[in-house]
Amino acid sequence: MKHARIITTAFMVLTMLTAAAANTVHRYLLSAGSNNGGKDRVMLRYAVSDATAFAAVLTDMGGVDRKNAVVLSDPSGRELLGGIAKLSKIMASDKAANPDVRGEVFIYYSGHADEKGLKLGSETLGWSEFRSAVSGLDADVRIAVLDACGSGAITRAKGGVASPAFLSDASSNMKGYAFLTSSNENESSQESDRIKGSYFTYALLSGMRGAADMTGDGKVSVSEAYQYAFNETLQYTQNTRAGTQHPSRDMNLVGTGDVVMTDLRETSAALSLDVNLEGRFFIRDKSGNLFTELRKYRGRAIELGMPPGRYSVEMETPSRSWMSGGVEIAADKRTALSMNDMKTMKRRAGVARGDDNAAYSERTPIGRMFNNIIDKGILGLSYDVELDGLMGVSVYTGTPWLYTRIEYAQPIGALDSKPKGYGGGLGTRFGMAAPFYVNLDLLLMKFYGDVDTLFDADKMFRDPVFDERDTIVGHTRQSSNHLLKLRLGVNYAPIRYAAIFGGAYLNCLVADRNDEFISVKRPDPNRPGWGVTWPPPEPEKFGYHETKVRVWPGVYAGVTVIIR
């Protein structure tokens, strides 16, 4: 009898351990942001930072181990698919070691897109190819969050419709896929300077940090996060010039339970808003940047997972605004905020919500162009050497599809070498298969000093012809030398901040010379009195002017430092 009880107990323990192993969840993440959607599209400001922020929330509060997270900045199509393939290998390795472990994978993309697919620089990754790559991941649950214009096209591709809540925790046996998109197939997805991010991702992250926890259980399901992001995005964009933005979703999941997106108990620090507080809350970090924004109603406490640090909290009500200026969020601590911590403040002059002049994503032309050049563009420093012995140092800034280049040039050697040239011009660049891209530059430079040796300009001009009786006693020269350069190069960027390049150029030198001579004529021996030397002959002046053009090709090579 005793042996039977021991066997029964051992069997129960083994059953519990087996069930626990089966309920263990491993989570994986690929988060990608692409600011560059090609030369015909505005350069975004916040797609890359949105991807970084999404990854931070899931690794801090979403149960994703950092070794299982892949974060990509401005990837090419090949790099994005390669990131998914890398994630697949990590998952396969875990599965081989733990066959009973559930796998849940998150794919996040922020950037440009259209009805054809994701716009990655000059490339387009088709919706069908992207969806096929995500569907090929061997996971129980696959979740894709797409914050891009027209991203609803991916839900249209398979006729998806809304379904019940879908992400799972360890008690769930749900399987399948879900796609959350920031807009429908015909809408623009917008970003804003005020919140320093896209409206949809900003709302989604606020919800994932705790604002969407409607049940108060300390966990945010994807259904809660999506519904919160949907409502907030509508409110943010209802008055923007690009129009109201409607997030959408496509889900095909079966099973029971609920998939948890974030667990507030996983974070080391949190801010707890008292049950009696009510209003629109704006929480800013110590630098004054808006960290999160949410609507809170009386009767419901909200806990927000936040990184440790110093914050200010503003509560806006219809009648007045309240402020708590020095809220310290400490690690391993829940910081409570109640009405006793708030002080009244003057209302700020403002504009209607959503009427944000900086929400430039997918808008048209002039405002976006200035936005690009001022803060969204590229900045680099280059050094190059040409076949004809000229070296140049240049700085360029602007957008990838139109930038300004300013260049200094001189013969290879010491900095005091002559002649020296200064000038500038315009350029453009466009992608090939990453990490290669092509540049095309047109520069106009003016050279000072003697260009004869450097450009063989002395061969362009004929020597002055003098009368045999002339004795040259004085000579002055004024010259003007302009060089027009057309360069086509191929760049290879093995790392993010540096590239090597080489290519061909076509130079056109316009050299202008204006010589003035002073001569004294010897007496004519055929004239009477030719030997008389007094009075001496009067000096005479005569000029010599000529303009020549020389065109020649060559090759060049160099290195560039990409500052941003």
Side-chain angles (χ1 to χ4, degrees):
M1 194 71 177
K2 182 177 181 181
H3 290 295
R5 285 198 299 267
I6 293 174
I7 293 173
T8 301
T9 302
F11 178 77
M12 292 175 63
V13 171
L14 181 61
T15 302
M16 293 172 63
L17 291 174
T18 303
N23 285 333
T24 301
V25 176
H26 283 190
R27 290 186 154 187
Y28 309 88
L29 167 68
L30 182 138
S31 187
S34 180
N35 288 327
N36 184 8
K39 65 178 182 179
D40 296 328
R41 292 176 178 267
V42 64
M43 183 76 72
L44 299 177
R45 294 188 181 191
Y46 306 113
V48 172
S49 58
D50 279 347
T52 303
F54 187 86
V57 171
L58 276 186
T59 52
D60 290 344
M61 306 171 57
V64 176
D65 194 305
R66 295 186 187 278
K67 67 181 178 61
N68 293 338
V70 177
V71 182
L72 301 176
S73 299
D74 288 315
S76 64
R78 184 177 64 181
E79 290 169 338
L80 182 57
L81 294 177
I84 296 176
K86 178 180 179 181
L87 209 61
S88 181
K89 291 181 180 179
I90 296 174
M91 295 167 63
S93 176
D94 284 357
K95 195 74 171 177
N98 303 284
D100 296 326
V101 170
R102 280 179 54 81
E104 297 175 359
V105 62
F106 297 85
I107 305 293
Y108 174 89
Y109 170 78
S110 178
H112 283 286
D114 59 16
E115 70 281 359
K116 296 179 181 178
L118 306 181
K119 310 297 288 186
L120 303 167
S122 61
E123 304 175 32
T124 299
L125 178 61
W127 288 122
S128 60
E129 186 176 4
F130 174 73
R131 184 159 190 150
S132 176
V134 174
S135 299
L137 292 169
D138 184 16
D140 295 281
V141 175
R142 299 179 298 277
I143 308 299
V145 180
L146 305 176
D147 191 347
C149 296
S151 53
I154 196 170
T155 65
R156 176 199 63 186
K158 298 200 71 172
V161 294
S163 301
F166 48 95
L167 278 184
S168 63
D169 59 19
S171 64
S172 169
N173 65 0
M174 189 171 288
K175 294 188 177 184
Y177 68 83
F179 286 84
L180 304 183
T181 66
S182 61
S183 60
N184 68 34
E185 62 185 279
N186 298 314
E187 290 178 343
S188 297
S189 292
Q190 304 164 55
E191 63 178 15
S192 166
D193 285 341
R194 184 181 68 86
I195 62 176
K196 290 181 167 55
S198 83
Y199 289 120
F200 175 75
T201 295
Y202 178 73
L204 183 64
L205 294 181
S206 294
M208 291 166 62
R209 289 192 176 278
D213 180 19
M214 301 305 295
T215 61
D217 62 355
K219 296 182 288 187
V220 178
S221 71
V222 176
S223 182
E224 289 177 317
Y226 170 78
Q227 193 60 52
Y228 181 87
F230 181 92
N231 293 333
E232 290 291 296
T233 302
L234 257 61
Q235 181 174 348
Y236 290 146
T237 60
Q238 61 184 350
N239 294 321
T240 61
R241 296 172 190 159
T244 306
Q245 182 178 323
H246 299 82
S248 62
R249 61 183 176 181
D250 168 26
M251 290 171 273
N252 183 10
L253 295 135
V254 294
T256 60
D258 197 13
V259 183
V260 175
M261 201 161 193
T262 53
D263 190 335
L264 302 180
R265 298 166 298 182
E266 293 291 323
T267 184
S268 65
L271 174 67
S272 180
L273 302 179
D274 186 75
V275 66
N276 293 316
L277 293 175
E278 181 174 15
R280 189 83 188 176
F281 281 79
F282 304 88
I283 302 176
R284 291 178 167 82
D285 62 21
K286 64 180 181 180
S287 300
N289 297 317
L290 191 60
F291 178 76
T292 193
E293 174 183 350
L294 67 142
R295 164 69 65 183
K296 183 189 176 302
Y297 296 97
R298 187 185 301 273
R300 174 188 166 223
I302 290 181
E303 191 168 282
L304 300 172
M306 300 169 61
R310 186 177 182 87
Y311 298 86
S312 65
V313 180
E314 179 184 344
M315 183 179 73
E316 189 177 274
T317 67
S319 59
R320 65 179 66 183
S321 294
W322 304 79
M323 170 71 80
S324 180
V327 181
E328 289 287 347
I329 307 296
D332 302 317
K333 182 180 177 181
R334 263 57 178 169
T335 302
L337 187 70
S338 68
M339 201 65 200
N340 294 331
D341 302 306
M342 310 294 287
K343 295 181 180 180
T344 187
M345 59 179 289
K346 292 182 179 180
R347 295 294 296 270
R348 294 175 299 175
V351 297
R353 183 175 304 282
D355 187 17
D356 191 341
N357 291 334
Y360 285 115
S361 300
E362 303 303 295
R363 290 196 194 151
T364 53
I366 297 179
R368 296 190 315 200
M369 181 175 69
F370 281 108
N371 214 29
N372 284 337
I373 294 174
I374 292 172
D375 196 43
K376 296 182 183 178
I378 57 175
L379 177 63
L381 182 67
S382 294
Y383 171 81
D384 64 85
V385 176
E386 294 185 359
L387 183 64
D388 56 17
L390 195 67
M391 70 177 186
V393 178
S394 62
V395 61
Y396 60 90
T397 184
T399 66
W401 49 269
L402 181 63
Y403 55 82
T404 302
R405 183 182 291 273
I406 300 173
E407 181 161 325
Y408 162 82
Q410 67 163 60
I412 297 174
L415 290 178
D416 59 352
S417 301
K418 297 291 181 65
K420 297 180 184 296
Y422 307 87
L426 299 175
T428 185
R429 74 182 194 189
F430 42 92
M432 298 166 58
F436 293 92
Y437 61 91
V438 174
N439 70 281
L440 180 65
D441 299 333
L442 182 64
L443 303 174
L444 179 61
M445 307 185 69
K446 184 170 183 178
F447 276 83
Y448 300 87
D450 187 2
V451 299
D452 288 355
T453 304
L454 183 61
F455 297 123
D456 289 332
D458 53 335
K459 298 178 181 179
M460 299 165 56
F461 296 93
R462 58 183 175 85
D463 293 328
V465 178
F466 304 110
D467 189 292
E468 62 180 7
R469 292 180 298 147
D470 286 337
T471 299
I472 305 301
V473 296
H475 172 218
T476 59
R477 169 179 290 174
Q478 292 181 336
S479 62
S480 176
N481 305 288
H482 291 88
L483 185 66
L484 187 66
K485 306 170 70 71
L486 179 64
R487 295 193 295 210
L488 178 65
V490 176
N491 300 254
Y492 171 63
I495 60 176
R496 179 177 176 85
Y497 298 105
I500 57 176
F501 58 85
Y505 63 80
L506 186 66
N507 282 350
C508 177
L509 177 68
V510 180
D512 184 90
R513 287 187 178 178
N514 190 12
D515 292 288
E516 185 176 85
F517 298 93
I518 301 176
S519 68
V520 176
K521 289 186 179 295
R522 297 188 299 273
D524 186 349
N526 297 319
R527 295 179 56 185
W530 67 272
V532 178
T533 59
W534 190 265
E538 290 291 330
E540 297 181 3
K541 294 182 179 181
F542 64 94
Y544 172 83
H545 177 264
E546 191 172 5
T547 300
K548 291 290 186 180
V549 177
R550 178 182 171 228
V551 179
W552 73 99
V555 294
Y556 74 103
V559 295
T560 187
V561 176
I562 305 167
I563 299 173
R564 91 175 169 187

